[in-house]
Amino acid sequence: MAPEVDSLFNFVTVVSTILLIGVVGAMLWFMYRYRRQDPAERPAPVQESKVLEISWIVIPTILVLLVFNWGFKSFVKQKTIPPDAYDIRVQARQWSWTFEYPNGVTSDSLVVPANEPVKTTMTSSTVLHSFFVPAFRVKQDVLPNRYTSVWFEATEEGTYDLFCTEYCGRDHSEMDATVKVVSQEEFDQWLQDSKMPDDLPLPQLGEQLYTQQGCQGCHSLDGSDMVGPTWQGLYGKTGHQMADGSTVTVDENYLRSSILQSGDQIVQGYQNVMPSYSNLSEREVAGLVEFIKQQSDKTPPEE
């Protein structure tokens, strides 16, 4: 769609520039030509021109109708999703994106095949966001509790920027991602390589999920403070302070509960912005727990 959008934009810009030059030029000429040189001079009556009056009504009307017709056709084309478009699920949250493919692969970057129509079915687990890929000239709001969709067909391989363009909170400006456009063969290979084998060790499975589920956008592994508590040294921590004044020991049960019912226990000093990951399988939850345990050299005390 980029060439169609750009051509209309350029047309409006060129026509507007020509009209600007014409109007301003006429004003300057009239200021010079009809300036009063003698204080006693009275300007002569000016006879109106029917042709001129008709022209400045008819010509702008034609331009407006032309731009409307041109823009409406492009709008309809943008909103008419091809029936054979490849469907990718998009999950927006504060403040990251997750992309899920039909075979179950999830990623924090959007990988798509070149010259293939792609449909994104989007929803938000937190607040209002907006999906915007400038290079593709597509933008669509992403709303909580409902689905919105947009489609595009990338024609050139490469890496492009993806932004959230709806203010969504503290780290809105950092809620970005990349769109990687690759050949169909490379895309098929990436889907195959990204699918997690059932026999993958739990800590390695958790490490992959840490990236694919967007956990790295809120939880650091080096102790730095982010949207959520760091995972460094988290497991085995005693006296973990909650927002309600209670304390907990960070053991396997606490980690599992925090993943599946994230809003039940909010850590002091942090907001309740983490979505529930109840869609994860039991093995995936166990993998995340084991990966978090690897980030700590402590163990919780025996009860």
Side-chain angles (χ1 to χ4, degrees):
M1 292 300 301
E4 293 189 26
V5 174
D6 290 352
S7 60
L8 176 56
F9 179 85
N10 292 334
F11 175 79
V12 172
T13 302
V14 170
V15 171
S16 300
T17 302
I18 294 173
L19 292 175
L20 174 66
I21 294 173
V23 170
V24 174
M27 290 171 58
L28 295 175
W29 167 248
F30 291 156
M31 290 171 60
Y32 171 77
R33 174 65 180 80
Y34 298 104
R35 71 192 186 281
R36 178 177 292 186
Q37 300 181 7
D38 183 354
E41 179 184 1
R42 296 177 61 85
V46 176
Q47 183 67 32
E48 73 275 6
S49 171
K50 298 296 184 182
V51 174
L52 182 61
E53 292 184 359
I54 292 174
S55 65
W56 68 41
I57 295 175
V58 172
I59 293 177
T61 301
I62 293 174
L63 289 174
V64 168
L65 293 176
L66 175 62
V67 171
F68 172 80
N69 181 67
W70 194 341
F72 184 71
K73 286 182 177 179
S74 296
F75 174 79
V76 171
K77 186 174 181 180
Q78 282 186 322
K79 295 301 180 181
T80 304
I81 301 175
D84 60 341
Y86 186 80
D87 194 0
I88 300 175
R89 298 278 170 162
V90 179
Q91 178 79 32
R93 62 176 64 88
Q94 293 174 304
W95 288 270
S96 63
W97 301 93
T98 300
F99 308 97
E100 183 176 353
Y101 294 79
N103 68 341
V105 169
T106 57
S107 173
D108 60 348
S109 61
L110 180 58
V111 182
V112 299
N115 301 308
E116 180 77 19
V118 173
K119 171 189 175 184
T120 58
T121 302
M122 304 177 290
T123 188
S124 169
S125 59
T126 51
V127 297
L128 177 65
H129 300 280
S130 188
F131 176 93
F132 178 43
V133 185
F136 302 163
R137 313 296 192 267
V138 293
K139 182 164 65 173
Q140 176 65 51
D141 284 349
V142 184
L143 309 175
N145 303 318
R146 62 175 296 180
Y147 291 112
T148 57
S149 297
V150 71
W151 81 277
F152 57 85
E153 183 174 338
T155 57
E156 296 183 12
E157 297 182 21
T159 301
Y160 304 92
D161 293 320
L162 188 160
F163 299 105
C164 173
T165 55
E166 187 72 41
Y167 181 70
C168 55
R170 185 185 70 184
D171 291 335
H172 159 70
S173 61
E174 299 180 11
M175 187 175 169
D176 53 12
T178 57
V179 183
K180 299 177 182 177
V181 181
V182 298
S183 65
Q184 185 67 55
E185 295 75 16
E186 188 175 349
F187 177 72
D188 293 338
Q189 187 63 46
W190 176 82
L191 280 181
Q192 182 178 345
D193 294 342
S194 300
K195 190 169 178 59
M196 298 181 187
D198 294 335
D199 58 352
L200 192 68
L202 287 178
Q204 294 184 30
L205 174 62
E207 183 176 7
Q208 289 194 18
L209 290 169
Y210 173 74
T211 300
Q212 294 180 351
Q213 295 295 327
C215 306
Q216 83 284 3
C218 298
H219 303 282
S220 72
L221 302 180
D222 59 3
S224 58
D225 189 32
M226 298 180 68
V227 178
T230 181
W231 286 1
Q232 185 185 61
L234 178 63
Y235 179 72
K237 186 177 181 180
T238 57
H240 198 41
Q241 193 74 33
M242 299 290 106
D244 60 3
S246 62
T247 59
V248 299
T249 297
V250 181
D251 56 11
E252 292 176 334
N253 287 326
Y254 169 79
L255 293 176
R256 185 179 187 279
S257 174
S258 297
I259 294 170
L260 298 178
Q261 290 90 34
S262 56
D264 289 354
Q265 293 178 298
I266 308 302
V267 179
Q268 189 177 62
Y270 297 94
Q271 299 179 18
N272 182 16
V273 297
M274 177 177 169
S276 170
Y277 285 89
S278 56
N279 60 312
L280 296 178
S281 67
E282 187 60 39
R283 190 170 189 276
E284 289 173 329
V285 174
L288 279 172
V289 170
E290 291 301 316
F291 178 64
I292 296 174
K293 290 168 65 175
Q294 279 193 341
Q295 312 310 310
S296 175
D297 57 1
K298 302 188 296 290
T299 56
E302 296 288 340
E303 295 186 359

